[in-house]
Amino acid sequence: MHLDLETRTRKDYIREQKSLHGRKVMGVFPAQYPRELLLAMNILPVEIWDPPLRTREASAHLQSYICSVVSLGLELILQGKCSDLDAFLFPHTCDSIQNLASIVNDYLGIHKPCYFFYHPKAPYKRASRPYYISQLKELKSGLEKQFGELRETDLKRSVDRWEEIRKDISKCYLLRSEGRLNTSNRAFYSILRRVEYLHPDDFHPLLTNFLQSGRTETERQGHGVLLSGVLPNPPEVLDHLDAIGVRVVDDDLLSCSRRFLSGPVSNSDPYEAMAETYFSLPPCSTRGSAIEERLNHILKKIRSSRADGVIFLIVKFCEPEFFDVPILADSLKKEGIPVLVLENEINQALSGQIVTRIEAFAEMLG
Amino acid sequence: MSIAPEIRYRFMKDIGAPLVMGMAGLKGKRKAAIKRDIPLGPPLKCSKRLKEIMTRHYFLSRYAEGARPVAWVTSGAPVELLRAFDFYTVYPENHGALCGAQKLGPELCSIAEGHGYNQDLCSYARIDIGVCLSGKTPVGRLPRPDILFASNNICQTVMYWYRVLAHHWKIPLMVFDTPFNFVSLDRSAITYMVRQFEEMIPELERISGRKFSEKKFKEVLRLGKSSAMAWGEVLATMKTVPSPMTIFDAFVHLAPIVSLRGLPVTLEYYNVLLSELKDRVSKGIGAIVNERKRLMWDNIAIWYKIRDFSRLFAERGMNFVTATYTNAWAETISYMDERNPMESLAKAYSLVILNNNLDHRLKLMERLIKEYQVDGLVIHSARSCKPYSVGQYDLKRLLMERLAVPSVVIEADITDFRAYSEEQTTTRLEAFFENIEDGG
Amino acid sequence: MKGWVIGIDVGSLTTDAVIMDEDKRVLSFSIVDTGYNSTDAAREAMTVAAGRAGLELEDVSRLVATGYGRAAVPEANKRVTEIACHAAGAVYLFPDTEMVIDIGGQDSKVIKVGKDGRVQDFVMNDKCAAGTGRFLEVMSAKLKIPLDGMGDISISARGEAAISSVCTVFAESEVVSLVARNCPKEEIVKGIHRSVVNRVWAMTRQLRVSGGVTMTGGVAKNRGVVALMEERVGRRINVPDEPQIVGALGAALFALREK
């Protein structure tokens, strides 16, 4: 099972999901969306973060100052690689994704249904939560027109399931930060990121297996860093950290902990529960959290994971992240925590310059 | 509020400012004696009054600190609510445009860059952060804000930028969250926005130390709406051939509706401007000497090129007669209705061009092209402004397909001319001129 | 002679070697073109340096490699980044150094150094050729002025041409039109230098200037750039006699440290 998933491509997996399980497949753009709702309707969300492509067609639609997450996402559509998808979902993450959504829906004429999800932006008010719930319900009724009725019991089951998975993801993070998970940086993220397209039936066993097999009682060796930014990309950065013995002990990545590590759910109503999950997620630039809040969150993580430094891996042209970084970096440095800011395209090969920076940073850690 | 700043503010408002303005006026007169550009028509008489209004606004702002609650506000925020509490409002975007026009963009931006702010970030934001960090500004001094008021109806960028300001000034950030209209504005979004207003009122009462007056609020709405409609009429005069005003004039005369919306002076000013323009129309006076072609501008102005461009196009008998940018303040503010203040305010602010999907924008541009008899379109792809710029390449293609309107894209920035290439732009514009002349 | 070490800096343009004895005295150094094969270039640089010092390469007690090609030196006992090496080298030459500005051929970096000579923080340009030696190279070719003559030319300039574009390609076209407008060459060159300094200054600002400032890398030989940089940081800048070999010098110091 484990091995099988390793070797199968995402494309094969999607086709199999459709043919074997009769599932519909939704292409989902970053970052926050109610996956429980989709899964309850037997729709498999396949997230589009970093397709392994080169920009070719997208530059006819997007300026050169648009980030590679957005341009490669569009590239995937333009190169006709989305034929297996039944629809798209665009969460309202940033200006570029917002306009990408509108280009796809209004201008491209690709005849694929597009759904949108607007999540309220902090600072949250009393009005935010009811609005979030109304958005969930509107998305649901929109989807029902294409995918058939959603049964409340299915939704409840799906919400519970996702909570179980989130608990195990949290456990992975906890063990890793305590140094009790024997895994490479690369392996950790390659397992975790399978959540972006695997069905819970496949993802959850993979995760629990990873948890059980990786448990160790030996102390952490070498230096530990906290990774912040959007994605753990390019993955060669992880490889290089592995190679020089630097362990990622925790993260503040948008695609990872910032979407998964929410608090426990107490509400039995599934919509209330989903809202509870959303509003208890860690501070995030794309949801409007105050910089102070994010800083305190990172500091807390640094203390609990005994990280020696912080690496910001920022996708070039990513506005939400680049506005936060100077204050975060400055404040961390004032606390005596070394900081490295790397700016790169998501699929860019590791340049000699980035290698040098990473190594010089590791030298600074002592 | 202590008494001393209050008295000082009143003194400056009633006596100091007019005195200083008088002096500024003299300086202006001296300048006016310098030679006129040949291809341009007579200058607008109103410009002097506009300069007085804006200079006075910035001049007085330094005395507002301590005398009145001060807010820094985004250009698309529902400022009417703040006016009901007598806030003195400062518009960093307007200030950024002013710095841009004075070619100070790179200098102020680089201060922010020296503190780690990436060069690819919005240059209005970099200018503003540079100003906060250094205190440098061509207007003397900006007052320290008591509150920041931002709405994401124009972009998400202002949210990130204002969070930096909130951290810097250690003051509250009040956000008006306007759900983006991917398809259309729905009931739940209206309810959400109205509830936000209701929650803001007690908070604004606390910060300003003043009670909310519904009467005053309605008066502001009335004024705001009338000014926006007057501004709309001002723009509509440009439908005349030849147009009595160019869009470059409009970029400048836009300042009051952006920064002083809801104040009597704005309405007063646009009425004066309107009668001057109507007078020109009746006499057949055009803004440029020989208007042969009529153009539309898309996106925010390239502030440091206004003067050069106005001459460059006038020399070829080309006049910009409409812009999506200037139109934005006339388009939806007129929805405001004092009989249903909160809901109408929510609509007025969430239906603006940048909070709407690209299909809406395409249709709006098609309408403007027809109404203003546009022969060509100049698209400013502004590095600073992603919500305005992403989608422009498709817009260009679609407008060509549907209306056969020739167009050109200029890759530039609103204020940071380090991201602008004179040579590349000239080549593109020359090709556009050839194209448009061929089209008859 | 016993106990001597080699520091080698394999850069993208040149490969430099420094030979040092146990008392931290520089015995010799060499600078060779890196060419296509970093390993060969490293051997050549070491052989030349050893020859100059009258030593046999077999007798080297320790070798530390730095620079982009540091992995391509199989004989190295240790590899250290050029950031740590420039810091160590600069402090060795100028003990008051608290900030190192290295403008190299492919990139530039600003390093904050502690009293102990260790790196406290650093910034590197991550954009493009702007603010690097490469930018000067492109412009020198455009203006047909030899690279090493640009500094002296700009010093004689009375005025200064404004070059606003950050992008090398845009700036190149600005230079072309300045030439077409008969703008004096020296003023254009000064404008070009200003552009480099402005880019590097943005990085310097991030680390807050303090203490002695030392400039390393090939561009430090350009008097025009140094003068404008001094104006910007508001203090005199230390410039080594051989700014190019500071990285290799630092590597040699690391070799001694580990002995």
Side-chain angles (χ1 to χ4, degrees):
Chain A
M1 163 89 192
H2 191 136
L3 257 182
D4 189 29
L5 281 177
E6 289 284 353
T7 51
R8 244 182 314 170
T9 67
R10 193 182 283 224
K11 192 186 178 85
D12 293 341
Y13 181 79
I14 290 170
R15 292 206 165 147
E16 192 186 285
Q17 287 290 304
K18 295 184 83 145
S19 60
L20 272 171
H21 302 281
R23 286 184 181 126
K24 300 291 180 187
V25 181
M26 173 92 77
V28 183
F29 280 79
Q32 327 264 2
Y33 67 100
R35 76 175 63 224
E36 307 92 307
L37 192 67
L38 304 188
L39 288 163
M41 298 175 88
N42 210 25
I43 305 165
L44 177 72
V46 173
E47 298 175 9
I48 302 168
W49 286 87
D50 52 347
L53 302 170
R54 296 235 159 263
T55 309
R56 200 176 67 205
E57 316 282 327
S59 41
H61 302 266
L62 299 173
Q63 285 91 338
S64 58
Y65 47 82
I66 302 307
C67 80
S68 45
V69 172
V70 169
S71 60
L72 290 176
L74 180 60
E75 192 67 41
L76 190 78
I77 297 174
L78 295 171
Q79 288 192 15
K81 293 184 190 290
C82 293
S83 51
D84 292 322
L85 304 181
D86 298 288
F88 290 110
L89 174 63
F90 295 92
H92 189 269
T93 303
C94 61
D95 290 322
S96 298
I97 290 183
Q98 165 197 299
N99 279 32
L100 170 71
S102 202
I103 288 178
V104 174
N105 189 46
D106 296 322
Y107 289 169
L108 291 186
I110 53 160
H111 307 297
K112 219 169 261 263
C114 292
Y115 297 89
F116 311 97
F117 186 68
Y118 192 89
H119 45 84
K121 310 293 190 287
Y124 299 122
K125 304 156 206 84
R126 284 192 304 283
S128 307
R129 198 167 165 129
Y131 177 68
Y132 185 76
I133 290 173
S134 76
Q135 280 304 95
L136 291 173
K137 291 187 173 163
E138 263 163 44
L139 179 63
K140 171 206 158 228
S141 34
L143 291 172
E144 280 181 327
K145 285 183 198 123
Q146 185 184 354
F147 301 98
E149 206 185 322
L150 165 70
R151 285 183 311 184
E152 200 87 347
T153 47
D154 288 339
L155 182 59
K156 238 183 120 22
R157 203 175 308 125
S158 180
V159 167
D160 291 343
R161 183 107 201 244
W162 176 235
E163 211 207 337
E164 288 307 312
I165 294 176
R166 277 193 295 111
K167 273 186 193 156
D168 280 335
I169 293 177
S170 304
K171 216 177 281 170
C172 283
Y173 269 85
L174 182 71
L175 286 177
R176 182 176 70 159
S177 76
E178 290 173 345
R180 291 193 291 138
L181 196 62
N182 184 22
T183 174
S184 67
N185 299 321
R186 180 66 175 259
F188 183 88
Y189 287 102
S190 111
I191 295 287
L192 185 63
R193 292 198 59 196
R194 300 285 172 84
V195 76
E196 292 167 16
Y197 71 97
L198 289 185
H199 189 272
D201 288 349
D202 297 316
F203 180 70
H204 204 185
L206 187 74
L207 188 70
T208 41
N209 182 34
F210 174 68
L211 252 177
Q212 277 152 15
S213 63
R215 263 192 124 106
T216 167
E217 294 307 321
T218 52
E219 273 281 293
R220 181 181 100 203
Q221 300 283 311
H223 290 293
V225 293
L226 181 136
L227 216 52
S228 183
V230 175
L231 282 162
N233 270 31
E236 289 77 17
V237 169
L238 300 175
D239 289 337
H240 198 71
L241 290 172
D242 280 324
I244 59 173
V246 174
R247 175 58 56 88
V248 176
V249 288
D250 207 339
D251 75 53
D252 168 56
L253 293 167
L254 171 61
S255 71
C256 299
S257 77
R258 268 192 258 164
R259 301 195 299 155
F260 302 138
L261 302 188
S262 50
V265 170
S266 61
N267 221 297
S268 63
D269 175 80
Y271 294 98
E272 291 288 347
M274 280 190 276
E276 213 176 338
T277 308
Y278 175 77
F279 288 99
S280 68
L281 285 170
C284 179
S285 56
T286 70
R287 286 185 293 108
S289 312
I291 302 176
E292 195 81 32
E293 243 178 90
R294 185 166 170 201
L295 173 66
N296 291 336
H297 175 72
I298 292 176
L299 283 171
K300 211 172 101 192
K301 274 177 167 282
I302 290 171
R303 278 192 288 272
S304 64
S305 65
R306 291 177 296 124
D308 302 294
V310 176
I311 299 178
F312 287 93
L313 264 182
I314 314 285
V315 180
K316 198 165 164 50
F317 303 116
C318 179
E319 278 214 333
E321 288 294 280
F322 273 122
F323 269 103
D324 275 10
V325 164
I327 291 174
L328 292 178
D330 223 47
S331 313
L332 289 168
K333 285 179 189 174
K334 277 186 191 134
E335 298 276 330
I337 300 155
V339 173
L340 177 68
V341 182
L342 293 178
E343 176 184 353
N344 53 274
E345 310 275 357
I346 45 174
N347 288 345
Q348 185 187 317
L350 212 54
S351 66
Q353 219 225 38
I354 291 188
V355 168
T356 299
R357 283 202 224 190
I358 293 171
E359 290 185 7
F361 181 68
E363 287 167 354
M364 259 170 70
L365 299 178
Chain B
M1 302 275 150
S2 70
I3 295 295
E6 181 76 42
I7 293 171
R8 197 175 47 156
Y9 173 74
R10 288 194 179 285
F11 172 79
M12 291 320 291
K13 184 166 180 264
D14 300 334
I15 299 162
L19 206 69
V20 174
M21 290 320 104
M23 279 150 62
L26 282 176
K27 236 196 288 172
K29 266 175 218 152
R30 237 177 282 133
K31 246 188 221 161
I34 302 170
K35 73 164 174 80
R36 287 287 311 148
D37 282 331
I38 304 136
L40 294 167
L44 289 165
K45 292 188 207 107
C46 264
S47 300
K48 190 177 149 253
R49 174 79 186 118
L50 174 71
K51 202 176 169 198
E52 274 169 22
I53 293 172
M54 293 315 293
T55 314
R56 181 189 160 92
H57 167 66
Y58 278 111
F59 175 76
L60 264 185
S61 75
R62 346 176 181 166
Y63 300 96
E65 203 175 304
R68 287 174 58 183
V70 176
W72 285 19
V73 186
T74 63
S75 65
V79 70
E80 288 74 9
L81 203 59
L82 297 193
R83 299 250 184 266
F85 294 91
D86 211 23
F87 273 89
Y88 201 99
T89 54
V90 170
Y91 280 77
E93 287 157 73
N94 175 262
H95 180 255
L98 192 145
C99 295
Q102 297 191 20
K103 301 198 163 77
L104 295 169
E107 185 188 334
L108 292 165
C109 285
S110 64
I111 296 171
E113 287 154 23
H115 283 81
Y117 290 90
N118 196 291
Q119 195 157 10
D120 296 320
L121 294 174
C122 164
S123 67
Y124 277 168
R126 276 179 291 141
I127 286 179
D128 194 39
I129 292 168
V131 168
C132 289
L133 291 168
S134 67
K136 281 188 196 165
T137 153
V139 303
R141 196 171 77 85
L142 292 178
R144 191 185 196 286
D146 300 301
I147 186 178
L148 300 160
F149 190 41
S151 175
N152 53 354
N153 59 347
I154 49 166
C155 57
Q156 303 308 305
T157 308
V158 291
M159 308 271 285
Y160 318 141
W161 161 14
Y162 276 55
R163 286 197 318 246
V164 171
L165 296 183
H167 184 91
H168 176 82
W169 294 109
K170 310 272 177 257
I171 52 168
L173 164 62
M174 187 175 273
V175 165
F176 178 52
D177 183 14
T178 52
F180 184 80
N181 296 315
F182 284 112
V183 183
S184 59
L185 179 59
D186 58 32
R187 192 31 60 190
S188 62
I190 294 176
T191 309
Y192 173 47
M193 290 186 281
V194 170
R195 281 191 189 161
Q196 292 181 62
F197 287 140
E198 289 163 359
E199 288 181 47
M200 283 173 194
I201 289 172
E203 206 177 327
L204 288 169
E205 285 184 332
R206 188 180 54 75
I207 291 163
S208 68
R210 287 152 212 234
K211 268 272 173 245
F212 176 66
S213 148
E214 183 144 352
K215 189 166 156 266
K216 179 152 192 198
F217 179 51
K218 287 186 171 174
E219 172 61 22
V220 172
L221 283 186
R222 230 186 343 260
L223 271 172
K225 179 181 175 138
S226 316
S227 323
M229 291 179 76
W231 173 245
E233 281 185 70
V234 164
L235 293 179
T237 62
M238 295 166 86
K239 287 178 187 168
T240 324
V241 183
S243 165
M245 178 162 92
T246 83
I247 214 64
F248 301 112
D249 296 322
F251 286 155
V252 179
H253 291 267
L254 179 71
I257 194 71
V258 177
S259 318
L260 305 171
R261 202 163 59 241
L263 295 175
V265 65
T266 302
L267 179 58
E268 202 181 285
Y269 176 70
Y270 286 131
N271 282 333
V272 177
L273 175 62
L274 185 60
S275 61
E276 187 181 347
L277 291 170
K278 280 183 174 163
D279 182 52
R280 282 186 172 218
V281 168
S282 70
K283 293 176 180 152
I285 301 173
I288 71 169
V289 173
N290 176 23
E291 182 183 295
R292 295 187 306 112
K293 298 282 178 188
R294 297 163 63 81
L295 307 179
M296 174 156 90
W297 178 273
D298 185 45
N299 213 328
I300 302 172
I302 304 176
W303 293 109
Y304 48 90
K305 291 305 285 182
I306 285 193
R307 200 178 280 261
D308 294 351
F309 275 12
S310 97
R311 197 188 171 102
L312 179 76
F313 285 89
E315 273 170 354
R316 286 162 177 78
M318 297 190 188
N319 193 14
F320 282 95
V321 294
T322 183
T324 51
Y325 177 54
T326 45
N327 184 67
W329 281 268
E331 200 191 350
T332 62
I333 293 173
S334 50
Y335 292 151
M336 288 193 302
D337 182 354
E338 59 182 291
R339 284 162 303 177
N340 191 2
M342 295 308 182
E343 187 167 326
S344 68
L345 200 60
K347 281 184 189 159
Y349 281 96
S350 69
L351 288 169
V352 295
I353 179 169
L354 290 179
N355 202 46
N356 250 310
N357 57 67
L358 292 172
D359 187 47
H360 167 272
R361 197 184 304 183
L362 178 65
K363 287 179 178 141
L364 170 76
M365 287 173 83
E366 278 186 302
R367 182 169 63 80
L368 292 176
I369 287 169
K370 285 177 189 153
E371 284 180 10
Y372 286 80
Q373 303 171 59
V374 168
D375 304 303
L377 167 64
V378 176
I379 296 170
H380 168 207
S381 159
R383 276 181 88 88
S384 279
C385 192
K386 295 190 172 80
Y388 221 144
S389 304
V390 178
Q392 281 178 323
Y393 293 179
D394 286 278
L395 262 173
K396 177 179 159 63
R397 173 178 59 82
L398 290 165
L399 285 172
M400 188 66 198
E401 279 169 21
R402 294 187 184 197
L403 302 174
V405 180
S407 54
V408 63
V409 175
I410 306 175
E411 300 288 346
D413 184 61
I414 51 182
T415 71
D416 187 350
F417 50 84
R418 291 172 298 172
Y420 172 82
S421 166
E422 186 76 54
E423 289 71 21
Q424 212 189 68
T425 309
T426 309
T427 310
R428 288 188 189 200
L429 285 178
E430 296 289 346
F432 172 67
F433 294 145
E434 286 165 11
N435 196 2
I436 204 167
E437 296 294 355
D438 282 354
Chain C
M1 170 110 33
K2 277 217 296 238
W4 54 276
V5 299
I6 295 190
I8 185 145
D9 181 357
V10 188
S12 49
L13 296 175
T14 65
T15 294
D16 325 315
V18 166
I19 294 183
M20 198 176 245
D21 69 14
E22 277 177 327
D23 300 321
K24 293 192 184 174
R25 275 183 307 217
V26 175
L27 303 180
S28 70
F29 68 88
S30 65
I31 301 173
V32 305
D33 284 344
T34 301
Y36 290 102
N37 190 320
S38 312
T39 310
D40 289 350
R43 291 219 173 101
E44 190 195 338
M46 288 191 284
T47 313
V48 172
R52 282 182 189 161
L55 298 165
E56 292 296 325
L57 264 188
E58 291 73 40
D59 297 334
V60 63
S61 63
R62 217 172 141 75
L63 166 61
V64 168
T66 187
Y68 280 170
R70 62 186 174 278
V73 186
E75 302 90 337
N77 300 97
K78 188 181 162 81
R79 291 175 184 89
V80 183
T81 64
E82 55 269 38
I83 290 167
C85 288
H86 275 272
V91 170
Y92 166 83
L93 293 170
F94 303 98
D96 71 329
T97 301
E98 287 184 27
M99 179 167 262
V100 182
I101 299 175
D102 167 46
I103 310 182
Q106 300 292 313
D107 63 30
S108 28
K109 38 193 168 284
V110 180
I111 308 160
K112 188 109 181 152
V113 196
K115 293 262 180 271
D116 52 359
R118 282 186 50 160
V119 176
Q120 285 183 335
D121 205 351
F122 65 93
V123 198
M124 265 168 112
N125 78 315
D126 41 14
K127 296 289 169 195
C128 46
T132 70
R134 177 79 197 140
F135 183 80
L136 293 176
E137 233 177 275
V138 169
M139 299 306 162
S140 96
K142 201 89 238 170
L143 290 169
K144 302 199 168 49
I145 298 174
L147 195 56
D148 52 15
M150 287 179 80
D152 293 340
I153 288 181
S154 77
I155 296 278
S156 68
R158 267 180 293 168
E160 182 180 327
I163 292 167
S164 58
S165 297
V166 193
C167 165
T168 307
V169 180
F170 284 4
E172 204 179 330
S173 67
E174 274 188 75
V175 166
V176 170
S177 59
L178 284 167
V179 171
R181 272 186 268 145
N182 289 323
C183 178
K185 261 191 182 183
E186 60 275 15
E187 297 188 6
I188 302 178
V189 175
K190 191 168 180 186
I192 290 166
H193 289 166
R194 176 79 66 189
S195 160
V196 171
V197 166
N198 282 350
R199 289 302 303 153
V200 176
W201 171 244
M203 296 195 284
T204 312
R205 274 285 297 268
Q206 285 184 48
L207 297 185
R208 318 275 189 274
V209 182
S210 69
V213 179
T214 301
M215 227 166 121
T216 64
V219 177
K221 284 185 168 171
N222 181 321
R223 287 201 295 143
V225 170
V226 174
L228 290 177
M229 199 71 213
E230 285 182 330
E231 194 183 304
R232 217 61 221 263
V233 297
R235 60 189 76 197
R236 233 187 58 75
I237 290 176
N238 304 318
V239 180
D241 296 335
E242 298 291 344
Q244 273 169 289
I245 63 157
V246 177
L249 184 66
L253 290 163
F254 273 102
L256 280 178
R257 208 178 286 177
E258 306 281 330
K259 262 176 77 171

